[in-house]
Amino acid sequence: MNTVVLFVPQQEAWVVERMGRFHRILEPGLNFLIPLLDRIRYVQSLKEIVINVPEQSAITHDNVTLQIDGVLYLRIMDPYKASYGVEDPEYAVTQLAQTTMRSELGKLSLDKVFRERESLNASIVYAINQASDYWGIRCLRYEIKDIHVPPRVKESMQMQVEAERRKRATVLESEGIRESAINVAEGKKQAQILASEAEKTERINQASGDASAILVKAQAKAEAIGLLSMALTQQNGNMAASLSVAEQYVQAFSHLAKESNTILLPTSAGDVTSMVAQAMSIYSSLNKSQAPPEGLEDPAASPHSAQQPPSSPSYLDLEESSTS
């Protein structure tokens, strides 16, 4: 109502006509009009407007009928176009949103409708802005509220979801079995490797111990032979050797018939004296055969060398003696 002095509220635009033609748009604050000539024709709110888009039917690309509704957020950007460009801006935008939504849903299948909900909203907003630019309206957002699926389709979707979950469970179970088998095989492999390494170490240690034992036995035997040879060169050495042979002969009789029932005995097994004499004769003959020939002794040898134990003849000594 034209009262000459007008106060326009914030976020509102008053469209003024003078004598039936558009004159100007009043800005918020103090304004003056001429009575009878000026008339306030339209009052446009510049705030963001929320419009509920009614539920409607839409058919997807795979011929599934959906019931879908949404919410539209828009704002008047040009009060002049909003006043003179369209009769009812809100109704026009609502109808445009419904038709655009049906068109966009027809391009998508049922599965993509749920997955690409954001892209669907963006496509509807872009299509509305292309047409509403001439109306001075800007669509800010469009959100789909509810999507209602037919009962049969809903049941089939539920079965599909259950089948997909069973498939995932089966795959996960098989992967678990495979991982378990791999872990068991890997454990056996590591156990065999460790066992082989332990056996290798044990064999090396055993071989080293056997070698050390053989070396110690050989050294002990060499020392024993050396002591024995020294003892035989002393006085009454032959009698000591005879006593040792007699003791070994008597001790050997204590082991007869312990490992086998078959025994081979010489005819004079009870005559210890003859056996000892025979052993000593063999020993004497060996000493004679191993004695160095005359003329090969070292003249520079000391007189005490005769008391040293006789060394065993080497291969070169035997060869030289045979040659001479």
Side-chain angles (χ1 to χ4, degrees):
M1 186 177 182
N2 187 356
T3 58
V4 182
V5 179
L6 301 175
F7 296 94
V8 179
Q10 186 67 31
Q11 289 297 98
E12 285 190 4
W14 292 6
V15 179
V16 177
E17 292 181 353
R18 177 167 291 179
M19 293 183 295
R21 295 184 58 185
F22 172 76
H23 176 56
R24 66 190 179 98
I25 297 175
L26 300 182
E27 299 294 334
L30 179 61
N31 293 274
F32 297 96
L33 295 180
I34 300 174
L36 302 177
L37 296 181
D38 296 334
R39 177 188 175 189
I40 301 172
R41 185 70 176 85
Y42 298 102
V43 177
Q44 302 291 351
S45 176
L46 302 181
K47 299 178 182 179
E48 187 172 347
I49 303 172
V50 181
I51 301 175
N52 289 323
V53 179
E55 187 180 47
Q56 62 174 340
S57 299
I59 301 176
T60 61
H61 183 70
D62 49 356
N63 296 325
V64 178
T65 303
L66 302 177
Q67 297 292 328
I68 187 169
D69 58 357
V71 181
L72 186 63
Y73 300 86
L74 53 88
R75 177 180 293 174
I76 296 177
M77 307 301 295
D78 190 345
Y80 177 79
K81 291 182 179 180
S83 301
Y84 298 100
V86 63
E87 182 65 26
D88 190 348
E90 295 183 3
Y91 177 77
V93 171
T94 301
Q95 296 298 318
L96 180 61
Q98 289 181 340
T99 56
T100 305
M101 185 166 50
R102 285 195 295 266
S103 177
E104 293 296 329
L105 284 175
K107 300 177 183 178
L108 301 175
S109 61
L110 180 61
D111 295 334
K112 290 185 178 180
V113 170
F114 296 99
R115 290 199 302 264
E116 301 181 3
R117 198 163 181 170
E118 294 183 1
S119 62
L120 180 61
N121 293 336
S123 301
I124 295 174
V125 170
Y126 177 77
I128 292 174
N129 287 331
Q130 291 293 325
S132 63
D133 185 48
Y134 298 99
W135 302 339
I137 299 174
R138 182 73 176 176
C139 181
L140 303 179
R141 293 183 305 279
Y142 181 84
E143 298 292 339
I144 297 176
K145 290 198 304 182
D146 296 321
I147 299 177
H148 299 283
V149 184
R152 293 184 178 179
V153 177
K154 190 174 182 179
E155 291 177 0
S156 62
M157 290 176 63
Q158 187 67 28
M159 294 174 60
Q160 182 180 0
V161 171
E162 293 177 358
E164 185 68 23
R165 292 187 181 277
R166 285 196 299 269
K167 175 184 176 182
R168 292 180 182 178
T170 305
V171 171
L172 291 176
E173 184 179 1
S174 62
E175 290 180 355
I177 295 174
R178 185 187 66 178
E179 292 293 334
S180 176
I182 292 174
N183 292 335
V184 171
E186 190 69 23
K188 291 182 179 180
K189 176 183 175 182
Q190 294 295 332
Q192 291 179 357
I193 292 174
L194 293 176
S196 62
E197 291 179 354
E199 185 178 359
K200 175 183 176 182
T201 305
E202 182 181 1
R203 289 183 178 180
I204 292 174
N205 294 335
Q206 185 177 1
S208 178
D210 294 342
S212 300
I214 292 172
L215 181 61
V216 171
K217 290 181 180 179
Q219 292 177 353
K221 188 174 183 181
E223 293 178 359
I225 292 174
L227 294 175
L228 181 62
S229 62
M230 292 178 63
L232 292 175
T233 57
Q234 295 178 1
Q235 186 178 4
N236 298 325
N238 292 334
M239 296 179 66
S242 300
L243 178 61
S244 177
V245 170
E247 289 179 350
Q248 293 180 5
Y249 182 79
V250 173
Q251 187 177 5
F253 273 92
S254 64
H255 297 288
L256 293 176
K258 286 187 176 181
E259 296 182 355
S260 176
N261 295 329
T262 303
I263 302 175
L264 298 178
L265 296 175
T267 58
S268 60
D271 190 0
V272 179
T273 304
S274 62
M275 295 297 297
V276 172
Q278 184 179 0
M280 295 305 297
S281 64
I282 295 172
Y283 172 73
S284 299
S285 63
L286 287 176
N287 285 336
K288 291 179 181 180
S289 63
Q290 292 179 358
E294 297 181 357
L296 294 179
E297 295 183 354
D298 188 2
S302 62
H304 301 286
S305 61
Q307 297 179 0
Q308 300 294 330
S311 60
S312 60
S314 63
Y315 177 77
L316 293 176
D317 295 338
L318 294 176
E319 186 176 1
E320 289 177 359
S321 63
S322 63
T323 304
S324 60

